[in-house]
Amino acid sequence: MAGGTGATAGMGGSAGGMKLRHVVESQQFTLPVLMELFDRARGMEKVVARGGTLDYHNRIMASLFYQPSTRTRFSFEAAMHRLGGRVLSTDHAQAFSSAISGEQVEDSIRIIGQYADVIVIRHNDRDGARRAAEVSPVPVINAGDGNGGQHPTQALLDLYTIHRERPLGGLSVAIIGELDRGRTARSLAYLLAKFERVKIYFVAPPEMQMKPDILEYLDRHDTRYELEPELDKVIGEVDVVYQTRIRADRAADAQRMKYAINPRVLQKMKSDAIILHPLPRTVELDRTVDSDPRARYFAQAANGLYVRMALLAMVFDQ
Amino acid sequence: MAGGTGATAGMGGSAGGMKLRHVVESQQFTLPVLMELFDRARGMEKVVARGGTLDYHNRIMASLFYQPSTRTRFSFEAAMHRLGGRVLSTDHAQAFSSAISGEQVEDSIRIIGQYADVIVIRHNDRDGARRAAEVSPVPVINAGDGNGGQHPTQALLDLYTIHRERPLGGLSVAIIGELDRGRTARSLAYLLAKFERVKIYFVAPPEMQMKPDILEYLDRHDTRYELEPELDKVIGEVDVVYQTRIRADRAADAQRMKYAINPRVLQKMKSDAIILHPLPRTVELDRTVDSDPRARYFAQAANGLYVRMALLAMVFDQ
Amino acid sequence: MAGGTGATAGMGGSAGGMKLRHVVESQQFTLPVLMELFDRARGMEKVVARGGTLDYHNRIMASLFYQPSTRTRFSFEAAMHRLGGRVLSTDHAQAFSSAISGEQVEDSIRIIGQYADVIVIRHNDRDGARRAAEVSPVPVINAGDGNGGQHPTQALLDLYTIHRERPLGGLSVAIIGELDRGRTARSLAYLLAKFERVKIYFVAPPEMQMKPDILEYLDRHDTRYELEPELDKVIGEVDVVYQTRIRADRAADAQRMKYAINPRVLQKMKSDAIILHPLPRTVELDRTVDSDPRARYFAQAANGLYVRMALLAMVFDQ
C-alpha cells in the first residue's frame, strides 16, 4: 500500500505499524491509525518539552497554500522544523507562474513532487486535495479545502485535545456555528462517528444546519445526534463545547450573539466540560472566557503542533 | 525576571549576565545591557567572518510582518540562520486567516507562541509590539511599528555602527529628515540620551520637527539638542550625519532637496565625520555619496546582522 | 577571476576546476563549464537518490523574486536545501520597503549581499540580473528576467535533459511558440549554438518569430536554423520538440491550436524523439501527451533540481 497513489487507498495496516500515505479526509482514518497517531503525538509532546528535534533532516516539506492561513501554515512548518526537516513555502500558490492564471493543480503537484518529500496543500476547491493526491509522486496532506470541504488535520488535533482529557467513548459534544459551511465541524463529525456511544448536538440556525451527507454518515455509523437551534437547551448537557464562527455576512449580529459563549453561558456549562474553538474567533467567543479553567482553545494550538509532527513522521516512516 | 511577560519589565540584571526578554522600545535599554549587546555583536562579527554558525539549531524564530519589509525581515532571518536556528515567515500577517479580516494580534501571538521560541513582529499599529509582548508566552522583538512608533533594533544597529568607530560620549549628531514620523530617528534619539555630553541637532522643516515627547525625554536626561531648519548651519559641526527620508507626499521636491546629502554638502562636512542612513533612500542621499570614504550606510546593513544575532542570542540565553 | 564582480567577467578557467561567479545569461557558458556543470549534476542525481544532503550547511541563499514563480523558486530552494544550506525568500521583492515604491535594485542587492552568500534574482526588467551582478558583493544567479530577456538556468536544465539522452552534436531541434518574447526559447538557442552540427527549426507565426539578435548570434556561430510557420513541415524531422506557450492575448485560439502538440502531431513525430516544455502549459500541450513515452517535461523538473544544485555548488566552490 505504501506505493499507492490513490487517495482512498491512502491507508492500510502492516506488520510493523500503520501505514499512512495521503491525508485527504477525516473519514479515511481507522481507529487503529488514530490510536497510533495519538500515541506518536504524545511522544512528540515530550520531544518538544525537552527542546529537541528529531532526525528527519534530509526531508523537505512543501507548503502549497492557494489561500493564505498563517496559523495553519506555521503549525505545519513548525512541526517539520521540530522534526529536524526543511520547508519550501508559499501562501499564494495561485501565482504559480506570473504568466498563467489557470494552471492545473495536477501539473503543479507533479512538478513540486520532484522537489519535496511531502506536499501540504490548502486549495480553494473542495476536491483540490484529492486531485492532488491522485497524481502526486509523494504524500499529500490536506490543510483545508474550499467551503463545505474538509480540514482533516484540524479535526485530528481537535480530537486529540479531547482525548488528552477524557475517554472518547460515551462523549457528549455540542458543535455550534455555521455548520453547513464549516469544514472543521464537518471533519470533526466524521471522526467522532468512529467512537462508541457518542452523542452530538449540532447547534445552529436552521438555515445553517449540518448538511445531509454528514447526517447520513452518522446514521450509517449508528452515531446519535440532534439538530438544535437553541444553545441554552443543550449547553448544560455536554462534555465538550466545540464553538465555531458564524460569518457576519450570513446573520445579523443579534442572531450571531445568540450562539456566543460568554459569562452567562459559562454559568450553565458543566463544571468539568471543556471549550474548544478552531480559531480565529470573532464575536462568538467572548474574551472573558479566556481565563475560565474550561477554556482549551490555546492548548489546541500546541496540540496541533504535536499531531502534525506525528502525521508527518507517520508519512515519512511508511 | 526571565519569566515576566510585561514589556516594561523586559530587562533586569543578574549574576550571570544581563537578562533580556522582550524588545519593544529603545528606552528600555540600560547602558550595561547596551554594552553587553555590543560585546556580543562584536563576537558575532567573528563568527560570520569565519563562515560559521552557532549552536541554536533547536530554536525557531517566527517573522510576523503585518507590513512587508524584505530588508528588515531578511536581516532577522539571516541572523537566525547564522545562529544555526530555524525560521517561520510571513510578510502579510494581516492575512492570518482568509476568513477573518480583523483578528486581534493578541490571539495570533498566543497561538504562534506555541510554535516558535521568539516572535519578531512588524505591526502597523503604534502599540502592536507592546500588545504582543503583553500576552506572548515567548519573547517578542519589535521590528518596527506604525508611523510615529519605534524601530528599536534599527536604532541599536545605528548606535553600534557609531560605537564601532568612535566613543559615544561627547558625540555630536545631526538627525535629518521627516522627524515627526520617523521611527528610526525617534528610536535613535532615545538611545543617544543614554550617553554623556551628546549633542543632537534635529534638522527638519519646522512642520516635520521632532515631537515634544522625545524632546521632553531628552530634557529629563540632560541631553542637549537644537531644532534647526537649515542643514548648512550644522553640517560642518557634527561627527555623525544621520540622514532619513522626507516622503514625496509631504514636501515639494525643491524643499526635499534642501535637506539632501550631495557633493556640495560633502564638502562642508568634517573630514572624519560618518554618514548613516537607515535605507531605503530616495532623493535625500545622492548616489555620488556612495564612493565617499565617510559613507557607512552599507556597513550599517552588515552591522544589523551582527546586532540581531546578538539580540536573539541574549533572548535565548535568558 | 573569483573576486571579479563584472557579469561578463563571471567565468574563467583555473587549474583546480572551472570558476563560476555570476550566472546572468546563457551565452556566458563555455563548453568546458557546461561539461563540468553536467558532470556535477549527474553526481547530484545520486545524492538525491540516496536521500542525502551535502555539507553546505553554513551557506545562505536569498531568493529575491520581483515576480512570483513558485515553481522556479521552489526548484532553487529545494536545491539549496538538498545541499544542506539555508534560504531567505521573497516572491514580492518589489515590496522591499512599504515606504518606498521605486527603490533601486542596486541598493537592495548591496544590502542583501551582506546577509546571504548567493542571490537568486527574478527581476521584471530585462537587465535586472545584470545590474544586480554589477554591484553585488556575492554571486548573483538570474532566475529569469523581463519579457524578451533570458532564463539561463531553465536553458541549462533543458540542455541537460537532452544531454542525458543523446549526443548534443548533430542534434535537430524544433523550438515552437511565441518566440519573440520567450525567454526560455532565447536562452536555449544561445546554448545550442555551442555545439557542432546542430540544426534549429524556429516554429512560430511570422509576427512572433525569433528576434534578429538571436539569429545573428547563430549566424556568427555557424549554427544552422530555419524559420518555419508550419509545424507539420518539420515535426517529423526533429530529435527534440521544445514546446512553449503562445499567450491567449496574442493569438486567437484557432491559431494557437495550430502549434499544439496533440495525438495527431504525436503520430508524425520520430519514434525516438523527445518532447520538452518549460511549463506551465496551456492549450499548446495536450494532456493526452503525458502518457506518451516521448514526454520528458516532468523529468525536466527533476533535472532542474540537479542542475541548480550543481550551479550553486560551483558558485560556492569558486
Side-chain angles (χ1 to χ4, degrees):
Chain A
M1 195 70 73
T5 55
T8 52
M11 267 193 256
S14 85
M18 306 313 293
K19 300 288 189 188
L20 184 61
R21 188 163 168 83
H22 303 297
V23 176
V24 173
E25 55 187 18
S26 288
Q27 61 271 42
Q28 76 175 80
F29 285 84
T30 60
L31 265 186
V33 174
L34 284 174
M35 290 304 113
E36 174 165 344
L37 179 69
F38 290 173
D39 278 356
R40 282 180 180 248
R42 200 82 173 88
M44 296 302 176
E45 288 192 40
K46 290 166 192 158
V47 170
V48 173
R50 67 170 186 261
T53 50
L54 290 173
D55 199 27
Y56 295 87
H57 56 270
N58 289 336
R59 300 291 191 147
I60 297 177
M61 180 186 96
S63 294
L64 189 66
F65 278 53
Y66 287 79
Q67 297 175 322
S69 172
T70 302
R71 186 171 45 100
T72 300
R73 185 169 63 82
F74 273 19
S75 176
F76 272 107
E77 294 181 1
M80 190 63 188
H81 284 304
R82 296 275 184 220
L83 290 178
R86 295 157 176 285
V87 174
L88 308 174
S89 184
T90 185
D91 58 8
H92 48 291
Q94 70 283 10
F96 196 74
S97 160
S98 55
I100 299 287
S101 55
E103 199 191 24
Q104 296 287 314
V105 69
E106 284 85 353
D107 278 7
S108 304
I109 292 291
R110 282 193 197 102
I111 293 168
I112 294 172
Q114 313 279 348
Y115 306 147
D117 300 299
V118 63
I119 298 173
V120 174
I121 186 171
R122 166 163 293 198
H123 202 270
N124 34 317
D125 292 343
R126 191 194 290 212
D127 65 344
R130 178 183 302 278
R131 285 165 54 200
E134 275 165 6
V135 301
S136 179
V138 298
V140 166
I141 299 179
N142 182 358
D145 47 18
N147 284 330
Q150 285 218 18
H151 195 345
T153 65
Q154 176 71 42
L156 291 169
L157 75 90
D158 294 339
L159 193 69
Y160 180 70
T161 303
I162 303 170
H163 163 78
R164 289 282 279 113
E165 308 224 10
R166 60 188 63 212
L168 293 166
L171 202 69
S172 171
V173 182
I175 300 181
I176 309 164
E178 184 186 342
L179 303 182
D180 57 338
R181 292 198 191 159
R183 56 189 173 193
T184 63
R186 292 172 55 84
S187 287
L188 180 60
Y190 278 124
L191 284 186
L192 288 170
K194 310 279 183 185
F195 296 88
E196 300 290 328
R197 292 166 292 111
V198 165
K199 173 80 181 276
I200 308 177
Y201 298 91
F202 293 113
V203 182
E207 70 276 16
M208 300 181 205
Q209 259 297 1
M210 188 58 86
K211 287 191 173 171
D213 62 332
I214 298 285
L215 304 181
E216 286 158 16
Y217 183 90
L218 297 177
D219 286 337
R220 282 201 305 280
H221 289 76
D222 293 322
T223 302
R224 293 171 302 154
Y225 62 85
E226 287 183 23
L227 306 182
E228 174 55 60
E230 298 291 333
L231 179 59
D232 281 355
K233 290 219 178 122
V234 303
I235 193 69
E237 306 295 319
V238 295
D239 305 310
V240 176
V241 174
Y242 190 84
Q243 176 68 305
T244 70
R245 289 186 300 275
I246 299 176
R247 273 172 289 187
D249 59 0
R250 291 201 71 192
D253 275 4
Q255 188 180 28
R256 292 166 78 207
M257 293 310 296
K258 270 184 58 187
Y259 294 90
I261 310 295
N262 54 34
R264 189 191 63 80
V265 173
L266 282 179
Q267 287 189 356
K268 299 190 173 183
M269 279 176 53
K270 284 187 183 175
S271 63
D272 65 345
I274 59 174
I275 306 165
L276 305 183
H277 189 300
L279 301 178
R281 62 175 151 188
T282 57
V283 297
E284 76 284 352
L285 182 58
D286 197 87
R287 270 154 229 290
T288 57
V289 180
D290 296 2
S291 55
D292 191 282
R294 292 167 289 188
R296 287 295 180 282
Y297 32 92
F298 292 117
Q300 267 174 288
N303 288 334
L305 179 66
Y306 312 135
V307 166
R308 286 169 177 135
M309 288 174 75
L311 267 181
L312 288 166
M314 284 180 77
V315 155
F316 291 139
D317 295 349
Q318 67 183 312
Chain B
M1 194 69 73
T5 56
T8 52
M11 267 193 255
S14 85
M18 306 313 293
K19 298 289 189 188
L20 184 60
R21 187 161 169 84
H22 303 297
V23 176
V24 173
E25 55 187 18
S26 288
Q27 61 270 43
Q28 77 175 78
F29 285 84
T30 61
L31 266 185
V33 174
L34 284 175
M35 289 305 113
E36 174 165 345
L37 179 69
F38 290 173
D39 279 355
R40 282 181 180 248
R42 199 82 173 87
M44 296 303 176
E45 289 192 39
K46 290 167 193 157
V47 170
V48 173
R50 67 168 186 262
T53 50
L54 290 174
D55 199 28
Y56 295 88
H57 56 269
N58 288 336
R59 300 292 191 146
I60 298 178
M61 181 186 95
S63 293
L64 190 66
F65 278 53
Y66 287 79
Q67 297 175 322
S69 171
T70 302
R71 186 171 45 100
T72 300
R73 184 168 64 81
F74 274 19
S75 176
F76 271 107
E77 295 181 1
M80 190 65 186
H81 284 304
R82 295 275 183 219
L83 291 178
R86 295 156 176 285
V87 175
L88 308 174
S89 183
T90 185
D91 57 8
H92 46 293
Q94 69 284 7
F96 196 72
S97 160
S98 55
I100 298 287
S101 55
E103 199 192 24
Q104 296 287 314
V105 68
E106 284 85 353
D107 278 8
S108 303
I109 293 291
R110 282 194 196 99
I111 293 168
I112 294 172
Q114 314 279 348
Y115 306 147
D117 300 300
V118 63
I119 299 172
V120 174
I121 187 171
R122 166 162 293 197
H123 202 270
N124 34 318
D125 291 343
R126 190 194 291 213
D127 65 343
R130 178 183 302 279
R131 286 166 53 201
E134 275 165 5
V135 302
S136 179
V138 298
V140 167
I141 299 179
N142 182 357
D145 47 18
N147 284 331
Q150 285 218 18
H151 195 346
T153 66
Q154 176 71 43
L156 291 169
L157 75 90
D158 294 337
L159 193 69
Y160 180 70
T161 303
I162 303 170
H163 163 78
R164 288 282 280 114
E165 307 225 10
R166 57 188 65 212
L168 293 166
L171 202 68
S172 172
V173 182
I175 300 181
I176 309 165
E178 186 185 340
L179 303 182
D180 56 338
R181 293 198 191 158
R183 55 190 173 193
T184 64
R186 291 173 57 83
S187 287
L188 181 59
Y190 278 123
L191 283 186
L192 288 170
K194 309 279 182 185
F195 296 89
E196 300 290 327
R197 292 166 293 111
V198 165
K199 173 79 181 276
I200 308 177
Y201 297 92
F202 293 113
V203 183
E207 70 277 17
M208 299 182 205
Q209 260 298 358
M210 189 56 86
K211 286 191 174 171
D213 63 332
I214 299 285
L215 304 182
E216 286 157 17
Y217 183 92
L218 296 178
D219 285 337
R220 284 201 304 279
H221 289 76
D222 293 323
T223 302
R224 292 171 302 153
Y225 63 84
E226 285 183 25
L227 307 182
E228 175 55 60
E230 298 291 333
L231 179 58
D232 281 356
K233 289 218 179 125
V234 303
I235 194 71
E237 306 293 320
V238 296
D239 305 311
V240 176
V241 175
Y242 190 84
Q243 179 67 306
T244 70
R245 289 186 301 274
I246 300 177
R247 273 173 287 189
D249 58 0
R250 289 201 71 194
D253 275 4
Q255 190 179 26
R256 291 166 79 208
M257 293 311 295
K258 269 184 59 188
Y259 295 90
I261 310 294
N262 54 35
R264 189 190 64 79
V265 172
L266 282 178
Q267 287 190 356
K268 299 189 173 183
M269 279 176 53
K270 285 186 184 176
S271 63
D272 64 344
I274 59 174
I275 306 166
L276 305 183
H277 190 299
L279 300 178
R281 61 175 151 187
T282 56
V283 296
E284 76 283 353
L285 182 59
D286 197 88
R287 271 155 227 288
T288 58
V289 180
D290 296 3
S291 55
D292 190 282
R294 292 167 290 188
R296 288 295 180 282
Y297 33 91
F298 292 117
Q300 269 174 287
N303 288 333
L305 179 66
Y306 312 135
V307 166
R308 284 166 178 138
M309 288 175 75
L311 267 181
L312 289 166
M314 284 180 77
V315 154
F316 291 139
D317 294 349
Q318 67 183 314
Chain C
M1 195 69 73
T5 56
T8 52
M11 267 193 254
S14 85
M18 306 313 293
K19 299 289 188 188
L20 184 61
R21 187 162 169 84
H22 303 297
V23 176
V24 173
E25 55 187 18
S26 287
Q27 62 269 45
Q28 76 175 80
F29 285 85
T30 61
L31 266 185
V33 174
L34 284 175
M35 290 304 114
E36 174 164 346
L37 179 69
F38 290 172
D39 278 356
R40 283 181 179 248
R42 200 82 173 87
M44 297 303 177
E45 289 192 40
K46 290 166 193 159
V47 170
V48 173
R50 67 170 185 261
T53 50
L54 290 174
D55 197 28
Y56 295 87
H57 56 270
N58 289 335
R59 300 292 191 146
I60 298 177
M61 181 186 95
S63 295
L64 189 67
F65 278 52
Y66 287 79
Q67 297 175 321
S69 172
T70 302
R71 185 172 46 99
T72 300
R73 185 169 63 81
F74 274 19
S75 175
F76 272 107
E77 295 181 2
M80 190 64 187
H81 284 304
R82 296 274 182 220
L83 291 177
R86 296 156 175 285
V87 175
L88 308 174
S89 183
T90 185
D91 58 9
H92 47 292
Q94 69 285 8
F96 197 72
S97 159
S98 56
I100 299 287
S101 54
E103 200 191 24
Q104 295 287 313
V105 69
E106 284 85 354
D107 277 8
S108 304
I109 292 292
R110 282 193 197 99
I111 292 167
I112 294 171
Q114 313 280 347
Y115 306 148
D117 300 300
V118 63
I119 299 172
V120 173
I121 186 171
R122 166 163 292 196
H123 201 270
N124 33 318
D125 291 344
R126 190 195 291 213
D127 65 344
R130 179 183 301 279
R131 285 165 55 200
E134 275 166 5
V135 301
S136 178
V138 298
V140 167
I141 298 178
N142 183 357
D145 48 17
N147 283 331
Q150 285 217 19
H151 195 346
T153 66
Q154 176 71 43
L156 292 169
L157 76 90
D158 293 338
L159 193 68
Y160 180 70
T161 303
I162 302 170
H163 163 77
R164 289 282 279 113
E165 307 224 12
R166 59 187 66 211
L168 294 166
L171 202 68
S172 172
V173 182
I175 301 181
I176 309 164
E178 185 186 341
L179 303 182
D180 57 338
R181 293 197 190 158
R183 55 190 172 192
T184 63
R186 292 172 56 82
S187 287
L188 180 60
Y190 277 123
L191 284 186
L192 287 170
K194 309 278 182 186
F195 296 87
E196 300 290 327
R197 290 168 293 111
V198 165
K199 172 79 180 276
I200 308 178
Y201 297 92
F202 294 113
V203 183
E207 69 277 17
M208 300 181 204
Q209 259 297 1
M210 188 57 85
K211 287 192 173 171
D213 63 332
I214 298 284
L215 303 181
E216 286 158 16
Y217 183 91
L218 297 177
D219 286 336
R220 282 200 306 280
H221 289 76
D222 293 323
T223 302
R224 292 172 302 153
Y225 62 83
E226 287 183 24
L227 306 183
E228 175 56 59
E230 298 292 334
L231 179 59
D232 281 356
K233 290 218 178 122
V234 304
I235 194 69
E237 306 294 319
V238 296
D239 306 310
V240 176
V241 174
Y242 189 84
Q243 177 68 307
T244 70
R245 289 187 300 275
I246 299 177
R247 273 172 288 188
D249 59 0
R250 290 201 72 193
D253 275 4
Q255 188 178 28
R256 292 166 78 207
M257 293 310 295
K258 270 184 57 188
Y259 294 90
I261 310 294
N262 54 35
R264 189 191 63 79
V265 173
L266 282 178
Q267 288 190 356
K268 300 190 173 183
M269 279 175 53
K270 284 187 184 176
S271 63
D272 64 346
I274 59 174
I275 306 165
L276 306 183
H277 190 300
L279 300 179
R281 61 176 151 188
T282 56
V283 295
E284 76 283 353
L285 181 58
D286 197 88
R287 272 155 228 289
T288 56
V289 180
D290 297 4
S291 56
D292 190 281
R294 292 167 288 188
R296 288 295 180 283
Y297 30 92
F298 293 117
Q300 268 175 288
N303 288 334
L305 178 67
Y306 312 135
V307 166
R308 286 168 177 135
M309 288 175 74
L311 267 181
L312 289 166
M314 284 180 77
V315 155
F316 292 139
D317 294 349
Q318 67 184 314

